[in-house]
Amino acid sequence: MTANHSNIDINESVPVQEPQRQRWFMAKCRELVKMREQELGRKLTFHDQTFGCQMNFKDSEKLNGILEEIGYVPTDNEDADFVYYNTCTVRENANIRVYGRLGTLKTYKKKNPDMIIAMCGCMMQEEEEVQKVKDVYTFVDIVFGTHNIFKLAELLYEALSSKRRVFDVWEKTDMIIEDLPSDRKFDFKAGVNIMFGCNNFCSYCIVPYVRGRERSRRPEDIVAEVEKLAQEGVVEIMLLGQNVNSYGKNLDEPVSFAKLLQMVEKVDGIERIRFMTSHPKDLSDELIEVMAASKKICRHLHLPVQSGSSRILNLMNRKYTKEQYLELVGKLRAAMPDLAITTDIIVGFPGETEEDFQETLDIVRKAEYDSAFTFIYSKRSGTPAAKMENQVPEDVAHERFDRLLKVVNEVAREKNARLQGRTELVLAEAIDEKDPSMITGRLSNNNVVHFTADSSVIGKIVPVVLEEAKGFYYLGRLSNG
Ligand code: 5AD
Ligand code: SF4
């Protein structure tokens, strides 16, 4: 989905204002790409590898929008004319995976020396990683960070016209550039950024260092984007931010996240609203009221707990205790008995004892999570936790991780059986990967359902009889009544 902005005059000098400046560079790149197409007698292709969270996937949609506007066509093959890696650095194994894959690109580039390779995202906000790419991965042509993804066309133009490597990483920004193209993965659902960055500085987390300080988009820009998406046929939106509950606090005219939800709810055509991620410390009573009263806000809340030990939570700088967290869960369940709550948990944080770990197992049982993402603590240099004493030995962390997973699965299995036999609304998303006679979709509470129906239902919200709970998904059939 790319807007046509061919009315840009590239004979004029480079505009200073954004987004006009990037439109100009897109037009300039388009010229170069067209010339190359004629030489080769084929279209130029691009391929992306995106690692990490919803934010990164959303950023990749924007990058793909720019590339399509320039004239590149997407391909699943890694030996494309333009390849970029949008990287994640939240845990160390994410970095290892990126470098592992990067090696294969070198062989492709040997065959196609005009291939352009770009690296961007959170890893590229770290000086030592950029240095490594500069020195070791000399076949990488373009490096940029999280703050200037909007500049892809400009950077690409520089690389194409100068044939030199281009490195452009910003330490921080207060800019939010609106109205650039975006290529959505799905026709019927879309992510919408509402804010960027994070101010929380949880002691283990590198995100505030690589994504910068909190910046909220203006509510009118968000609503305008949602209206446009609805007109294009989108029925479900996911509002995205590292910590959506602190949305709007730094705007010139502050607006709460709950108020923003109410504005978005008014948009005709949008039938489901999701959001991610919520920090427990900022979740307001106002939000609970708005959620409970809403017909559109989904019955799912991702509420990362990280640990069940108040002592560890304090060391993590999470600003709540186990008791406060459980009280919040109690309030949420009282207001919305059908709410699914999911979470993130870290085991092996520095200084975590067996007793602390038992508290984590306890909170999993008490909070009755529908599912949980579980992580082994990963030391990120530059974060306060990296310097803490008593780092937990790897074997202890692994052993706790296995025990935690068992309890999480037990609890989730039980939770996920409770809708068996009911007829519920499902957003039909795709043909089932394993059985093409079935469709895969999601309930309001985010549970996956595989059900018998034909592909004409894809993109629609349809009633489905949940015939059998299978632990982490349901099997069902389209309801005919
Ligand atoms: N080690 C392990 N897990 C981490 N997370 C963030 N930083 C780290 C780290 N250093 C997890 C948290 C967060 C999720 C996105 O990733 O649980 O909620
Ligand atoms: Fe990291 Fe904490 Fe911010 Fe989440 S809220 S991104 S865990 S610092």
Side-chain angles (χ1 to χ4, degrees):
M1 196 125 335
T2 50
N4 180 8
H5 285 260
S6 49
N7 55 351
I8 294 281
D9 186 351
I10 48 176
N11 298 316
E12 293 277 320
S13 57
V14 193
V16 180
Q17 285 277 333
E18 298 293 2
Q20 292 81 352
R21 184 180 174 85
Q22 295 313 312
R23 294 277 178 205
W24 189 90
F25 278 109
M26 283 181 228
K28 289 294 267 188
C29 287
R30 196 156 49 225
E31 266 195 343
L32 296 179
V33 164
K34 264 201 193 124
M35 269 168 20
R36 188 76 187 129
E37 270 174 17
Q38 273 162 6
E39 281 165 25
L40 294 172
R42 63 165 176 86
K43 286 275 191 191
L44 296 192
T45 56
F46 79 89
H47 176 80
D48 82 275
Q49 284 287 337
T50 302
F51 302 83
C53 67
Q54 305 266 4
M55 285 286 181
N56 265 19
F57 281 88
K58 178 71 199 176
D59 283 351
S60 290
E61 290 188 354
K62 294 178 186 172
L63 294 169
N64 294 352
I66 294 171
L67 290 168
E68 285 178 26
E69 182 83 15
I70 289 171
Y72 285 94
V73 291
T75 170
D76 289 336
N77 299 330
E78 268 194 281
D79 58 346
D81 297 294
F82 182 97
V83 177
Y84 74 85
Y85 278 15
N86 190 357
T87 61
C88 167
T89 188
V90 78
R91 285 169 295 275
E92 198 186 359
N93 50 10
N95 295 34
I96 295 167
R97 274 177 62 203
V98 164
Y99 287 123
R101 291 194 79 125
L102 205 51
T104 53
L105 288 187
K106 193 177 177 180
T107 36
Y108 292 134
K109 189 154 179 169
K110 274 206 183 116
K111 276 191 248 153
N112 175 9
D114 285 334
M115 178 178 185
I116 302 267
I117 299 174
M119 305 251 311
C120 62
C122 296
M123 239 170 94
M124 295 300 107
Q125 288 296 137
E126 294 178 278
E127 249 168 66
E128 61 270 40
E129 302 297 342
V130 172
Q131 201 56 49
K132 193 163 160 184
V133 173
K134 238 181 213 163
D135 299 342
V136 182
Y137 297 89
T138 49
F139 53 94
V140 174
D141 304 283
I142 304 176
V143 170
F144 54 106
T146 56
H147 300 306
N148 57 346
I149 60 157
F150 71 91
K151 258 185 90 176
L152 173 62
E154 186 169 344
L155 303 177
L156 178 60
Y157 184 70
E158 209 177 317
L160 288 173
S161 53
S162 74
K163 304 265 180 204
R164 279 202 302 264
R165 302 175 82 192
V166 177
F167 285 76
D168 189 12
V169 179
W170 299 1
E171 205 180 303
K172 58 179 186 193
T173 187
D174 50 14
M175 284 210 276
I176 295 179
I177 311 291
E178 301 284 348
D179 297 327
L180 280 172
S182 180
D183 169 44
R184 286 191 281 105
K185 196 158 172 247
F186 297 95
D187 293 332
F188 51 87
K189 66 172 186 177
V192 176
N193 292 114
I194 63 165
M195 61 197 299
F196 304 92
C198 180
N199 285 356
N200 288 319
F201 292 95
C202 300
S203 62
Y204 50 82
C205 186
I206 202 163
V207 167
Y209 306 90
V210 295
R211 289 254 168 203
R213 294 295 68 71
E214 258 173 40
R215 284 150 288 144
S216 295
R217 282 177 76 193
R218 296 184 317 157
E220 51 275 33
D221 290 334
I222 296 168
V223 170
E225 182 177 340
V226 174
E227 279 169 349
K228 185 162 167 275
L229 290 169
Q231 279 158 18
E232 290 168 4
V234 167
V235 293
E236 180 178 294
I237 54 159
M238 163 87 90
L239 304 179
L240 296 171
Q242 231 75 47
N243 177 14
V244 292
N245 295 323
S246 68
Y247 169 80
K249 287 188 180 152
N250 302 326
L251 286 169
D252 293 339
E253 289 171 48
V255 179
S256 69
F257 178 55
K259 290 272 171 345
L260 177 72
L261 279 172
Q262 286 177 314
M263 291 183 212
V264 169
E265 173 136 26
K266 291 202 188 95
V267 178
D268 281 338
I270 297 297
E271 295 181 54
R272 279 182 171 184
I273 303 168
R274 300 185 184 279
F275 54 86
M276 202 161 199
T277 288
S278 286
H279 193 304
K281 81 175 163 64
D282 296 314
L283 199 145
S284 65
D285 289 347
E286 185 196 12
L287 175 64
I288 300 179
E289 269 168 45
V290 168
M291 277 184 87
S294 170
K295 293 264 181 301
K296 293 187 179 178
I297 303 173
C298 287
R299 288 295 178 254
H300 173 218
L301 189 69
H302 188 62
L303 194 65
V305 65
Q306 312 298 4
S307 169
S309 153
S310 296
R311 195 181 72 83
I312 295 291
L313 286 169
N314 185 33
L315 290 172
M316 286 177 162
N317 193 29
R318 291 290 289 176
K319 303 195 174 77
Y320 54 84
T321 62
K322 179 188 186 190
E323 291 69 33
Q324 284 166 332
Y325 183 94
L326 284 172
E327 195 186 313
L328 180 59
V329 167
K331 261 201 252 178
L332 286 159
R333 295 225 185 275
M336 292 166 279
D338 52 350
L339 182 71
I341 301 179
T342 58
T343 203
D344 292 344
I345 304 170
I346 299 175
V347 295
F349 184 83
E352 184 188 71
T353 62
E354 176 62 25
E355 270 167 24
D356 294 317
F357 176 65
Q358 287 298 331
E359 298 277 3
T360 296
L361 294 182
D362 187 55
I363 209 166
V364 169
R365 293 197 180 96
K366 292 206 169 108
E368 297 183 19
Y369 293 116
D370 287 72
S371 78
F373 294 105
T374 50
F375 307 106
I376 291 179
Y377 167 73
S378 169
K379 192 172 173 175
R380 309 312 288 130
S381 64
T383 62
K387 292 188 221 79
M388 288 181 186
E389 286 170 9
N390 304 326
Q391 300 277 332
V392 173
E394 230 174 272
D395 55 334
V396 175
H398 273 100
E399 188 266 341
R400 285 183 193 158
F401 181 85
D402 292 344
R403 279 192 283 156
L404 173 64
L405 204 59
K406 258 195 204 137
V407 174
V408 163
N409 286 345
E410 260 166 44
V411 170
R413 202 170 273 278
E414 212 166 285
K415 272 301 245 204
N416 289 332
R418 80 205 137 118
L419 296 178
Q420 182 163 295
R422 293 213 336 217
T423 300
E424 294 282 325
L425 290 174
V426 172
L427 172 57
E429 297 195 343
I431 293 172
D432 186 349
E433 277 175 12
K434 288 207 188 108
D435 178 352
S437 72
M438 296 185 88
I439 296 293
T440 299
R442 276 178 197 272
L443 297 172
S444 166
N445 75 6
N446 214 32
N447 263 157
V448 170
V449 184
H450 303 291
F451 61 104
T452 44
D454 65 58
S455 60
S456 65
V457 296
I458 291 177
K460 295 190 183 125
I461 296 179
V462 291
V464 172
V465 186
L466 305 176
E467 294 180 310
E468 197 183 345
K470 288 294 229 181
F472 297 98
Y473 61 90
Y474 289 95
L475 288 179
R477 66 175 160 79
L478 202 59
S479 161
N480 39 26

